[in-house]
Amino acid sequence: MRPEFSPAMLKVFLRARIADAVFRAGGAEPAGGVRYDATRKAKAGIRKAAGVTNFEFNFAWTGRLNTAEARAKLWGALGHVPADHGVTLTDDGGQE
């Protein structure tokens, strides 16, 4: 069985990673700006680690990033490299 590296799945993984980072930073309770700051820092950390633009990250955040190169970089920053699973991403949002 091959894992799915679709734009929708990338969206789910990004949001889960950010939610975890916010929780670990103490932002689970709506107190002050802790949640906002932790979200901003976590998003920036992943974006910088992947080496993608803010525009590309925002498209990935909404599940609309189809560019294969940017998706591969973001998946790599999340610790899941598509090539390690024998998957090649395509620019139409799919995979081979």
Side-chain angles (χ1 to χ4, degrees), residues 43-44 47-48 51-61 74:
K43 282 182 173 181
R47 183 180 58 78
K48 289 176 183 176
V52 297
T53 66
N54 199 24
F55 180 81
E56 290 170 327
F57 184 88
N58 286 333
F59 256 53
W61 184 253
L74 283 164

Side-chain angles (χ1 to χ4, degrees), residues 33-55:
V34 173
R35 181 179 291 174
Y36 177 75
D37 289 341
T39 301
R40 254 187 50 236
K41 286 180 184 177
K43 282 182 173 181
I46 292 173
R47 183 180 58 78
K48 289 176 183 176
V52 297
T53 66
N54 199 24
F55 180 81

Side-chain angles (χ1 to χ4, degrees), residues 5 10 17 46 49-50 70-82:
F5 291 101
L10 179 58
R17 183 66 58 93
I46 292 173
R71 283 179 28 233
K73 288 179 180 179
L74 283 164
W75 277 114
L78 292 172
H80 304 284
V81 180

Side-chain angles (χ1 to χ4, degrees), residues 7 65-69 71 87-96:
L65 182 65
N66 288 334
T67 311
E69 183 180 355
R71 283 179 28 233
V87 174
T88 303
L89 301 180
T90 59
D91 280 331
D92 63 353
Q95 66 188 41
E96 296 177 342

Side-chain angles (χ1 to χ4, degrees), residues 11-29:
K11 172 185 167 181
V12 170
F13 271 71
L14 283 172
R15 290 174 182 258
R17 183 66 58 93
I18 300 303
D20 181 60
V22 170
F23 178 77
R24 290 175 186 272
E29 299 175 15

